Amino acid sequence: DYDRSGFARKTFKARIELADTSYSQDIEYLVAQPVIKVTTGNAPTLYMNCGNTVNIEVPTLGTDYNPSFGSGGTAEIIKGDKPGKVTIIPKQRKVKVSVANGDTQIGVVDFDVKPIPRPRFVAKETNGKEVDMRNGVKRASLTGLRIVAEAEENFKQEVPKDAVYRIRTMDVIHARGTAPINRKTFTNENLELAAWRAQFRPGDQIVVDIKTVTRRTFKGEDEKVDIRSEIIRVPIQ
């Protein structure tokens, strides 16, 4: 029986009994319709196993709003510093969040969950400048490279605490044509190549085969990233 403004008009009968008389009155009151309002930084889609900040509000309840939330095991929900502010860490592709106020169930909010976008792999010179992959690097100054995994821009803006990647292992080859001249496995992003510099010739390549990448999650854990075969070829001038 809610009207267009979201209220239902109700009454109850009050009665006062005295020794020699009684008083009765119909008391009118309004019931506010509990409409759930959801706002997120990346609404209405969440990222899998990421800390998605969500505000789940029921404006008509005003200061009486003291919510609790449940997900039936489809996500971990961490309450924030304000009523209705939560962090949702999805475990499945579909998440249902139940909303209650006190002992009263208000409703259920459905969220779609999308996979984390793959990072972009970038070769940089030791001064931090991105390598021009068409022209490559000069052999005289090539003492090292830095290979980094960068998050997709929207992903980085929406869940910045989940968008930090690290390359853990790479196989690196100094190649001339199809023949490998030097080979080494690196376990961090910085490639120390000074020992190979005397053997560099114009037309050679530094071939980087990225093997293992991790992502630091919202909870501070390292999650292995499922990557395809990622090969970077840096030409040597």
Side-chain angles (χ1 to χ4, degrees):
D1 298 328
Y2 296 110
D3 60 21
R4 291 182 179 181
S5 300
F7 293 97
R9 195 174 299 275
K10 301 292 183 180
T11 62
F12 66 89
K13 185 177 291 292
R15 183 178 180 87
I16 300 175
E17 294 282 355
L18 301 177
D20 56 350
T21 188
S22 64
Y23 300 92
S24 297
Q25 185 176 343
D26 290 332
I27 307 298
E28 187 176 81
Y29 63 98
L30 297 176
V31 178
Q33 185 178 15
V35 177
I36 299 174
K37 178 184 177 183
V38 178
T39 56
T40 73
N42 44 291
T45 306
L46 310 181
Y47 286 103
M48 180 70 74
N49 200 32
C50 293
N52 303 271
T53 300
V54 179
N55 289 301
I56 302 177
E57 302 169 317
V58 183
T60 50
L61 293 180
T63 58
D64 293 323
Y65 185 49
N66 184 26
S68 59
F69 306 95
S71 70
T74 61
E76 180 180 354
I77 300 178
I78 303 171
K79 296 186 76 171
D81 55 357
K82 297 179 181 179
K85 183 178 181 180
V86 295
T87 297
I88 301 175
I89 305 176
K91 299 177 182 179
Q92 299 181 16
R93 292 297 301 272
K94 298 284 186 180
V95 170
K96 290 182 177 292
V97 177
S98 61
V99 184
N101 194 59
D103 296 327
T104 303
Q105 187 71 20
I106 297 175
V108 175
V109 182
D110 293 322
F111 293 94
D112 291 324
V113 180
K114 58 186 176 182
I116 297 169
R118 296 180 187 274
R120 168 178 172 256
F121 297 99
V122 181
K124 296 186 176 183
E125 299 182 42
T126 53
N127 61 7
K129 180 182 177 182
E130 187 171 336
V131 173
D132 181 345
M133 300 303 288
R134 177 177 296 179
N135 296 317
V137 293
K138 295 180 180 180
R139 68 183 189 278
S141 60
L142 180 55
T143 59
L145 292 170
R146 185 165 181 256
I147 311 298
V148 298
E150 296 185 346
E152 189 267 338
E153 193 60 33
N154 287 338
F155 178 63
K156 183 165 58 176
Q157 290 181 3
E158 291 164 0
V159 283
K161 292 184 179 180
D162 283 279
V164 178
Y165 292 90
R166 289 288 183 270
I167 298 175
R168 299 299 182 181
T169 58
M170 293 177 281
D171 288 342
V172 180
I173 299 172
H174 165 213
R176 183 168 298 147
T178 59
I181 307 300
N182 297 288
R183 183 192 301 267
K184 185 177 180 180
T185 297
F186 289 85
T187 56
N188 61 64
E189 297 177 339
N190 296 308
L191 310 183
E192 178 55 58
L193 305 176
W196 299 354
R197 185 168 61 170
Q199 301 176 65
F200 292 156
R201 299 291 183 270
D204 289 359
Q205 290 185 330
I206 299 297
V207 182
V208 181
D209 185 0
I210 299 170
K211 295 295 187 181
T212 309
V213 180
T214 60
R215 179 181 67 87
R216 179 58 59 93
T217 69
F218 174 84
K219 298 181 72 176
E221 300 167 347
D222 286 332
E223 175 185 83
K224 187 175 180 180
V225 177
D226 183 19
I227 61 172
R228 298 164 293 192
S229 177
E230 300 288 349
I231 305 292
I232 295 177
R233 299 178 184 272
V234 180
I236 298 175
Q237 296 182 17

